[in-house]
Amino acid sequence: MPRVSELFFKTAIVFLILGIAAGLQMAISGDHGAFPAHAHINLLGWVTSAIFGGYYALNPAKAERRIAMIHYGLYTVGIVIMLPALYWMLAAGRPEIEPVVAIGSLIVAAAVLVFGFVVFSSTETVRSATAAPAR
């Protein structure tokens, strides 16, 4: 499995655990005020990271490109900024945290655009950059 796929899957599992913990905390406390953060942790952290990992596993030529690791780093930084801030903003009633959520969201959006570039780019550039087999 390509390294970037493994990283996305490991990151996805971390966010799955965090999403479950957030859901349990809400259920135990009876306070469901942070449910949008819980949904974002599960969707962006768990599901989307796993989908990215699956895409790169199915497209190893694209996974070997430097931009794939840039995508991973940018996306991970974005969700690490956005998700805790969103949870804190909602669970603790701290609306002044919203600019931090916005910054994280913009980084996530940029990472999604990078992924779009990866998906729509040709793998021909990867093939031509590798040495041709000797004849």
Side-chain angles (χ1 to χ4, degrees):
M1 179 182 307
R3 176 85 175 125
V4 72
S5 294
E6 187 175 341
L7 288 170
F8 267 120
F9 278 121
K10 286 179 178 179
T11 302
I13 293 300
V14 169
F15 280 102
L16 173 61
I17 292 166
L18 292 172
I20 289 172
L24 287 171
Q25 187 276 329
M26 287 187 303
I28 291 167
S29 71
D31 180 1
H32 294 85
F35 81 87
H38 167 69
H40 279 77
I41 292 167
N42 285 319
L43 183 59
L44 293 177
W46 159 233
V47 176
T48 305
S49 292
I51 289 170
F52 290 153
Y55 178 84
Y56 286 119
L58 293 170
N59 294 279
K62 290 185 178 185
E64 296 305 317
R65 295 171 65 187
R66 185 168 187 257
I67 196 164
M69 198 58 78
I70 291 169
H71 169 229
Y72 171 77
L74 193 61
Y75 188 77
T76 302
V77 165
I79 61 174
V80 165
I81 292 170
M82 179 187 152
L83 297 178
L86 180 62
Y87 189 85
W88 189 29
M89 183 181 83
L90 295 171
R94 304 288 304 261
E96 68 272 13
I97 303 299
E98 193 164 11
V100 178
V101 176
I103 290 166
S105 298
L106 290 170
I107 295 169
V108 168
V112 169
L113 291 175
V114 170
F115 183 63
F117 175 80
V118 169
V119 169
F120 286 103
S121 67
S122 170
T123 56
E124 294 300 316
T125 55
V126 173
R127 289 189 194 123
S128 65
T130 59
R135 294 190 174 179

